[in-house]
């Protein structure tokens, strides 16, 4: 006897590539309930599986955005906004550390306002503000000055000259422990850069251009 069953699982081809298949068939059992053989049909559903995974990922992102919007409506205090943004980004993007800094154009100071180091929340008071002039060659200051994001997928891929590379290697904020991968994105309010969001990962090539979107 047997009953009709459908399963979806991953298989590896002879060339080493992986596909997802839908196994539709019957498990035939003997009188003792042991499986004797399986009769059925395999169908390649790789494209369907990838589309479903992409849809699920998008749905999860939309849910996180909705939840962030709901939390933001609870208070318009700057610190609350920064903390909600920090927590939401940490859930949307794989990262080891994330920091949000503010930039005061009048004084030229860059200050840490919120951050997470792994699962530990960073105390902004432990890190003094720095002058954008003092940090003029750092990637964070470059983002604030230009209003454009920067992606570092590995030191060997930095779009700087060999002479500049050594100078800039140490210019990440000291709380970042000089990561292998980083994304730094400007925060813009009414066409003015008011700070930066910095996401760090200790894995090489952890981010791609698509992550900046």
């Amino acid at each position: 006897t047997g009953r009709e069953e459908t399963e979806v699982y991953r298989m590896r081809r002879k060339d080493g590539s992986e596909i997802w298949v839908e196994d539709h068939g019957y498990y035939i059992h003997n009188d003792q309930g042991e499986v004797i053989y399986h009769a059925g049909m395999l169908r390649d559903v790789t494209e369907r599986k990838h589309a479903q995974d992409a849809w699920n990922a998008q749905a999860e992102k939309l849910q996180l955005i909705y939840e962030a919007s709901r939390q933001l409506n609870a208070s318009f205090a700057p610190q609350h906004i920064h903390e909600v943004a920090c927590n939401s980004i940490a859930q949307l993007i794989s990262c080891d550390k994330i920091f949000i800094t503010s930039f005061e154009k009048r004084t030229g100071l860059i200050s840490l306002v919120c951050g997470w180091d792994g699962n530990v929340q960073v105390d902004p008071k432990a890190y003094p503000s720095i002058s954008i002039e003092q940090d003029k060659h750092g990637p964070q200051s470059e983002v604030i000055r230009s209003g454009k994001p920067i992606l570092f997928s590995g030191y060997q891929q930095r779009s700087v000259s060999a002479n500049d590379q050594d100078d800039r290697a140490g210019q990440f904020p000291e709380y970042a422990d000089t990561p292998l991968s980083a994304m730094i994105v400007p925060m813009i309010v009414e066409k003015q850069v008011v700070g930066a969001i910095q996401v760090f990962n200790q894995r090489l090539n952890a981010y791609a251009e698509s992550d900046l979107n």
Side-chain angles (χ1 to χ4, degrees):
T1 60
R3 66 177 183 274
E4 185 177 3
E5 294 187 9
T6 300
E7 295 179 280
V8 176
Y9 50 84
R10 188 165 45 188
M11 294 185 68
R12 188 181 298 275
R13 290 195 178 107
K14 290 182 179 180
D15 63 4
S17 61
E18 291 185 340
I19 62 172
W20 286 90
V21 298
E22 182 180 76
D23 184 348
H24 180 77
Y26 299 85
Y27 286 100
I28 308 302
H29 303 78
N30 59 21
D31 294 339
Q32 288 72 44
E34 300 170 333
V35 176
I36 303 175
Y37 63 90
H38 173 266
M41 179 181 65
L42 294 179
R43 182 172 62 173
D44 186 344
V45 293
T46 304
E47 290 188 7
R48 188 185 77 185
K49 182 66 167 62
H50 289 169
Q52 182 180 11
D53 289 345
W55 187 91
N56 290 340
Q58 183 65 20
E60 183 179 353
K61 287 183 179 180
L62 291 174
Q63 180 60 37
L64 288 172
I65 292 172
Y66 168 78
E67 180 61 25
S69 299
R70 189 186 65 79
Q71 293 180 27
L72 287 172
N73 287 332
S75 172
F76 293 106
Q79 186 61 31
H80 174 75
I81 294 174
H82 291 146
E83 290 179 357
V84 170
C86 207
N87 293 339
S88 299
I89 294 170
Q91 293 181 68
L92 287 169
I93 300 175
S94 173
C95 60
D96 294 309
K97 305 180 184 188
I98 178 170
F99 302 98
I100 294 180
T101 53
S102 65
F103 172 63
E104 174 58 53
K105 186 176 182 179
R106 181 178 58 83
T107 60
L109 292 179
I110 303 172
S111 305
L112 178 65
V113 294
C114 183
W116 286 88
D117 184 347
N119 295 322
V120 179
Q121 189 169 13
V122 173
D123 180 8
K125 296 179 181 178
Y127 300 93
S129 300
I130 59 173
S131 167
I132 194 170
E133 292 300 326
Q134 176 187 348
D135 187 50
K136 60 183 178 180
H137 297 300
Q140 178 181 203
S141 295
E142 181 178 334
V143 167
I144 292 175
R145 290 177 185 276
S146 68
K148 298 179 180 179
I150 291 180
L151 170 70
F152 293 111
S153 294
Y155 289 132
Q156 77 279 14
Q157 296 180 359
R158 292 188 179 190
S159 57
V160 294
S161 69
N163 292 332
D164 291 337
Q165 186 162 351
D166 290 337
D167 293 336
R168 292 181 62 177
Q171 293 300 320
F172 284 97
E174 60 180 17
Y175 42 78
D177 294 337
T178 313
L180 291 178
S181 300
M183 289 190 296
I184 307 177
V185 180
M187 294 193 300
I188 300 176
V189 176
E190 296 181 350
K191 299 182 180 181
Q192 297 293 322
V193 178
V194 297
I197 299 173
Q198 304 169 82
V199 181
F200 303 103
N201 200 303
Q202 297 303 325
R203 291 187 297 108
L204 188 64
N205 301 323
Y207 305 121
E209 290 290 338
S210 58
D211 291 314
L212 292 174
N213 300 324

